[in-house]
Amino acid sequence: ALRKGSDLEKAFATAALVYNNYADPKGKLSKAETKSLLQSQFWHIMQGQENKPKYQEIISSLDEESENKIDFEDFMILLVSLTLMSDLLQEIKNVKTTK
């Protein structure tokens, strides 16, 4: 069914699939698992962000010892937040696509 989906639908489906591959049976990620997922699957976007205070705040919150787990909704908010603070959006604006 996804082969017939739009690029945006495929992008969200891919994010959900990757999340589910890392999540526990209840569909949640520990903070350590979340950090690992971001480092392995989102590192191009995270690269070069290390000196930004908001980035450091987000990553340190994932280092805290806590039993709190992240659900898919929180994970998507985290992805959007990291993307917005990165240079990716500016790079995208510079790319022209054809329809």
Side-chain angles (χ1 to χ4, degrees), residues 13-24:
T14 299
L17 288 170
V18 170
Y19 177 88
N20 285 334
N21 285 334
Y22 280 79
D24 67 17

Side-chain angles (χ1 to χ4, degrees), residues 62-94:
L62 295 176
D63 286 332
E64 293 173 359
E65 291 297 323
S66 172
E67 293 298 315
N68 292 338
K69 294 204 171 197
I70 293 173
D71 62 16
F72 182 68
E73 182 179 318
D74 291 335
F75 177 72
M76 291 302 290
I77 291 168
L78 179 61
L79 286 185
V80 169
S81 298
L82 288 170
T83 303
L84 288 173
M85 75 176 66
S86 75
D87 299 325
L88 178 66
L89 294 180
Q90 187 58 46
E91 290 174 28
I92 291 170
K93 288 176 185 177
N94 294 330

Side-chain angles (χ1 to χ4, degrees), residues 3-56:
R3 285 181 267 197
K4 295 179 183 179
S6 71
D7 290 343
L8 189 56
E9 290 169 323
K10 290 175 188 174
F12 274 95
T14 299
L17 288 170
V18 170
Y19 177 88
N20 285 334
N21 285 334
Y22 280 79
D24 67 17
K26 294 181 180 179
K28 300 212 175 193
L29 291 174
S30 70
K31 289 182 176 185
E33 291 166 329
T34 302
K35 186 174 179 181
S36 173
L37 188 160
L38 292 172
Q39 289 173 331
S40 68
Q41 298 289 321
F42 216 58
W43 69 275
H44 282 100
I45 290 175
M46 294 174 59
Q47 201 172 30
Q49 306 306 306
E50 297 84 6
N51 295 325
K52 294 183 179 179
K54 186 65 178 167
Y55 173 87
Q56 291 174 347

